[in-house]
């Protein structure tokens, strides 16, 4: 102060330049700084924000305050900037509170702002309108983004002050209409930290897990009582509006009275005129709902009765139009009887045709069986023997008549004849034996004669394996010399050895035939 007094009072010495003491630039700048700070201290300055480019990389904000004829540099330090309720905006008229100081490095004076608020309602309205246009341009107010509220939420989340009349009105109204579980997230609804707390509450409710220990609300109510534009300004802040727009839970805004409008009202899924109205919008009236359900039940019962009566009438009408069942079944019965007769006739015809074909086949087999062939061969042999005997007798008689004197030739001829006859007889006998053996090989009797047996069941059907004769089955066993009855026992572990029966020599055809001579 002494240096500044010397500078201010000694005008004559300063003019001559001989009596004034020498000081440095820094000393002069610091002296001016102290003089200005002591003279003005804290001031409130009204002006329009100019040359604002947002916070610096350091977090501080630099801009100017101006009016029609002057300009004042301004600075807001980082810590103060984070606590400001109203953030600087280009062209906004504000009232700034702070300290006047100088900046020696630039030979300028400036105000270090500690608090700032819009200059009057007009400035707030201009700021509000500008912010509304900006958010609307981003599509946050589009009707397509709004979602319907749940008809009957299980949990209702409320963001409001825990000590005001608003929460009591909401709880009372919910209890009267339809009691639901209510979760209250306490916040300040006015002041510098109000906007941040409201945004954090909305984000916090949305961050709750659906199956966590604290149930996630099905609908949110953001409420506050009435007040001035400045009192409701927290709900115009951009951070609150964006949090409400990003909420996954349907949100009801109930800020102030019916005439009060904030930006959160535009982005909310539903705007209620009052907090009490928000509670009414959140849940239905249980009594009205019960009455509505009862009325629906009565209407449903009446409709069911009418439908049953209509169906009975229609059924009776259709029953009268339908013919009698006997008439409907008469023609099908006749067709069925005729079809049955045709089927029986066709069955008899088919059966007779099968029998005829079977008889023809049996006759053909009988004609060509070994027994028939053998019988025919025997008949041919007998005829041949008779013709041969007659021929030989005739030739002998003729020879005797012609050569009665030639006894020797007759004797020789008789010997040759005997040998020829014996040879022919032997050939015929061998052929007959071959036919007999063929008959024996084709007959099952020969197989039985070798020690085998045929096993039949009770129905006289052949038993071809153990699976067809379980234990206890009655059996009939046929041998070469007869049949015996038996009953099946348990199966043996291995095949039993077969002991063939003593073989009897079969009687060959011709054994009982004597010599012709």
């Amino acid at each position: 102060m002494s240096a500044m007094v010397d500078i201010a009072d000694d005008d004559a010495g300063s003019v001559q330049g001989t009596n004034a003491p020498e000081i440095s630039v820094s000393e002069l700048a610091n002296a001016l700084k102290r003089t200005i700070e002591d003279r003005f201290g804290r001031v409130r300055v009204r002006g329009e924000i100019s040359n604002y480019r947002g916070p610096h990389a350091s977090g501080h904000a630099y801009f100017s305050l101006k009016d029609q004829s002057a300009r004042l540099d301004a600075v807001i330090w980082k810590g103060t900037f984070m606590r400001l309720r109203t953030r600087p905006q280009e062209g906004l008229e504000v009232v700034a509170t702070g300290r006047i100081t100088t900046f020696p490095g630039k030979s300028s004076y400036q105000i270090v702002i500690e608090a700032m608020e819009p200059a009057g309602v007009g400035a707030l309205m201009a700021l509000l309108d500008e912010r509304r246009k900006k958010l609307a341009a981003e599509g946050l107010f589009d009707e397509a983004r709004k979602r319907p509220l749940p008809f009957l939420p299980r949990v209702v989340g409320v963001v409001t002050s825990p000590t005001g009349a608003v929460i009591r009105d909401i709880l009372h109204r919910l209890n009267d209409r339809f009691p639901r579980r209510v979760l209250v997230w306490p916040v300040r609804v006015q002041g510098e930290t109000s906007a941040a707390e409201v945004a954090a509450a909305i984000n916090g409710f949305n961050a709750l897990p659906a199956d966590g220990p604290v149930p996630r609300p099905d609908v949110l109510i953001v409420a506050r009582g009435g007040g001035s534009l400045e009192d409701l300004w927290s709900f115009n802040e951009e951070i609150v509006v964006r949090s409400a727009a990003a909420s996954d839970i349907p949100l009801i805004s109930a800020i102030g009275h019916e005439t009060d409008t904030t930006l959160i009202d535009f982005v909310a899924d539903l705007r209620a005129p009052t907090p009490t109205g928000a509670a009414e919008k959140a849940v239905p009236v249980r009594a009205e709902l019960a009455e509505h359900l009862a009325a629906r039940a009565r209407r449903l019962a009446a409709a069911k009765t009418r439908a049953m009566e209509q169906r009975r009438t229609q059924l009776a009408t259709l029953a009268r139009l339908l013919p009698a069942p006997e008439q409907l079944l008469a023609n099908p019965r006749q067709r069925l009887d005729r079809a049955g007769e045709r089927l029986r006739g066709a069955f008899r015809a088919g059966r007779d045709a099968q029998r005829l074909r079977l008889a023809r086949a049996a006759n053909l087999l009988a004609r060509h069986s070994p027994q028939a062939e053998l019988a025919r061969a025997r008949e041919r042999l007998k005829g041949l023997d008779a013709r041969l005997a007659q021929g030989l007798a005739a030739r002998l008689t003729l020879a005797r008549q012609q050569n009665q004197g030639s006894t020797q030739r007759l004797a020789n001829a008789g010997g040759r004849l005997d040998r020829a006859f014996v040879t022919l007889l032997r050939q015929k006998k061998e052929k007959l034996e071959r036919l007999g053996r063929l008959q024996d090989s084709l007959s099952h009797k020969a197989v039985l004669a070798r020690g085998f047996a045929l096993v039949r069941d009770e129905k006289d059907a052949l038993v071809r394996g153990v699976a067809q004769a379980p234990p206890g089955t009655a059996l009939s066993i046929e041998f070469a010399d007869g049949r015996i009855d038996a009953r099946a026992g348990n199966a043996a572990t291995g095949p039993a050895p077969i002991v063939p029966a003593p073989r009897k020599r079969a009687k060959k055809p011709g054994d009982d035939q004597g010599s012709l001579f």
Side-chain angles (χ1 to χ4, degrees):
M1 289 297 294
S2 59
M4 293 185 64
V5 171
D6 293 339
I7 294 171
D9 295 342
D10 196 3
D11 294 338
S14 64
V15 173
Q16 295 177 0
T18 57
N19 296 327
E22 293 181 0
I23 59 176
S24 65
V25 175
S26 298
E27 291 175 345
L28 179 60
N30 291 330
L32 290 173
K33 179 180 177 66
R34 289 193 298 271
T35 301
I36 292 176
E37 290 179 352
D38 292 342
R39 167 66 181 81
F40 293 99
R42 293 176 61 84
V43 296
R44 296 181 77 243
V45 180
R46 179 170 181 164
E48 179 182 339
I49 295 177
S50 174
N51 200 26
Y52 178 68
R53 298 294 181 268
H56 193 265
S58 61
H60 311 312
Y62 302 96
F63 54 92
S64 300
L65 295 175
K66 69 176 184 178
D67 55 14
Q68 293 83 357
S69 58
R71 183 175 68 87
L72 175 63
D73 291 339
V75 60
I76 304 177
W77 304 127
K78 177 180 178 181
T80 305
F81 186 84
M82 299 300 294
R83 296 193 303 269
L84 283 180
R85 180 179 175 183
T86 301
R87 299 295 175 87
Q89 293 187 18
E90 182 69 21
L92 178 64
E93 186 176 3
V94 297
V95 176
T97 302
R99 296 179 294 103
I100 296 294
T101 183
T102 64
F103 181 53
K106 198 177 176 183
S107 297
S108 63
Y109 60 94
Q110 60 187 8
I111 179 173
V112 179
I113 297 176
E114 298 174 354
M116 186 172 61
E117 59 187 12
V121 177
L124 287 177
M125 293 301 296
L127 177 60
L128 180 63
D129 186 65
E130 181 182 355
R131 187 173 294 171
R132 181 182 60 79
K133 291 179 180 179
K134 173 186 174 183
L135 297 175
E138 297 180 13
L140 298 184
F141 301 158
D142 293 345
E143 290 295 329
R145 299 183 68 259
K146 299 184 183 300
R147 294 154 299 179
L149 302 180
F151 177 72
L152 185 61
R154 296 175 302 170
V155 181
V156 178
V158 181
V159 179
T160 189
S161 173
T163 58
V166 171
I167 185 61
R168 292 194 297 270
D169 293 342
I170 292 176
L171 295 177
H172 178 72
R173 197 58 177 166
L174 289 176
N175 189 57
D176 287 345
R177 292 176 65 85
F178 206 121
R180 298 279 87 186
R181 184 173 181 178
V182 180
L183 295 180
V184 180
W185 196 298
V187 296
R188 292 185 179 89
V189 295
Q190 184 176 342
E192 294 182 359
T193 61
S194 173
E197 293 182 11
V198 172
I202 296 174
N203 296 332
F205 273 131
N206 280 273
L208 291 176
D211 54 351
V214 178
R216 185 181 184 183
D218 299 314
V219 65
L220 295 182
I221 298 176
V222 180
R224 188 202 187 282
S228 63
L229 180 61
E230 291 82 358
D231 296 335
L232 305 180
W233 191 255
S234 297
F235 300 94
N236 292 319
E237 292 293 348
E238 189 171 343
I239 185 175
V240 175
V241 176
R242 293 191 181 278
S243 296
S247 174
D248 294 329
I249 305 174
L251 187 142
I252 303 174
S253 65
I255 308 302
H257 300 297
E258 188 171 0
T259 57
D260 298 325
T261 302
T262 59
L263 293 182
I264 195 175
D265 296 331
F266 293 101
V267 78
D269 296 299
L270 180 66
R271 177 185 180 270
T274 59
T276 303
E280 295 176 354
K281 298 289 186 181
V283 295
V285 179
R286 182 164 57 181
E288 294 178 357
L289 185 60
E291 178 60 27
H292 180 69
L293 291 177
R296 288 292 182 92
R298 290 192 296 270
R299 290 177 58 189
L300 180 60
K304 186 185 299 183
T305 303
R306 288 194 301 271
M308 291 294 293
E309 292 297 332
Q310 292 177 359
R311 297 296 186 274
R312 287 195 187 97
T313 304
Q314 294 174 359
L315 184 60
T317 303
L318 294 175
R320 288 193 297 270
L321 295 177
L322 287 175
E326 294 296 332
Q327 297 178 0
L328 291 175
L329 296 176
N331 292 333
R333 283 175 178 171
Q334 293 181 1
R335 290 194 297 270
L336 180 61
D337 293 340
R338 292 180 181 178
E341 292 176 359
R342 291 194 298 271
L343 180 60
R344 284 192 292 272
F347 178 75
R348 285 194 296 269
R351 183 185 59 188
D352 294 342
Q354 291 290 342
R355 285 178 177 175
L356 181 59
R357 287 193 293 270
L358 184 61
R360 290 175 180 173
N363 188 17
L364 181 62
L365 289 176
R367 289 199 304 269
H368 295 282
S369 64
Q371 292 86 349
E373 293 289 340
L374 183 60
R376 284 193 291 272
R378 285 174 178 172
E379 292 296 330
R380 288 195 299 271
L381 183 59
K382 289 179 180 180
L384 182 61
D385 289 342
R387 288 195 302 272
L388 181 61
Q390 293 176 2
L392 290 176
R395 292 179 65 183
L396 286 174
T397 301
L398 180 61
R400 284 174 184 170
Q401 291 176 358
Q402 293 176 355
N403 300 309
Q404 291 182 357
S406 182
T407 305
Q408 184 64 36
R409 287 190 299 170
L410 182 60
N412 295 334
R416 290 194 299 273
L417 182 61
D418 289 339
R419 289 192 297 274
F421 181 74
V422 170
T423 302
L424 179 61
L425 187 61
R426 186 176 63 253
Q427 292 176 353
K428 297 299 181 179
K429 186 182 293 185
E430 290 177 355
K431 182 177 180 181
L432 187 60
E433 289 177 355
R434 287 196 300 271
L435 292 175
R437 288 194 296 273
L438 178 62
Q439 179 185 6
D440 293 339
S441 64
L442 294 176
S443 174
H444 71 281
K445 297 292 185 178
V447 178
L448 297 179
R450 292 200 300 270
F452 294 94
L454 289 179
V455 182
R456 292 183 172 87
D457 58 9
E458 296 175 343
K459 299 179 180 179
D460 205 29
L462 285 178
V463 177
R464 301 179 184 275
V466 178
Q468 294 181 251
T473 304
L475 303 175
S476 175
I477 304 176
E478 180 181 356
F479 297 97
D481 55 350
R483 289 191 179 190
I484 62 172
D485 294 331
R487 187 171 298 275
N490 293 329
T493 58
I498 299 175
V499 180
R503 183 176 180 182
K504 296 181 179 179
R505 182 177 179 274
K507 185 176 182 180
K508 295 183 180 180
D511 288 351
D512 55 351
Q513 183 177 349
S515 176
L516 296 177
F517 302 98

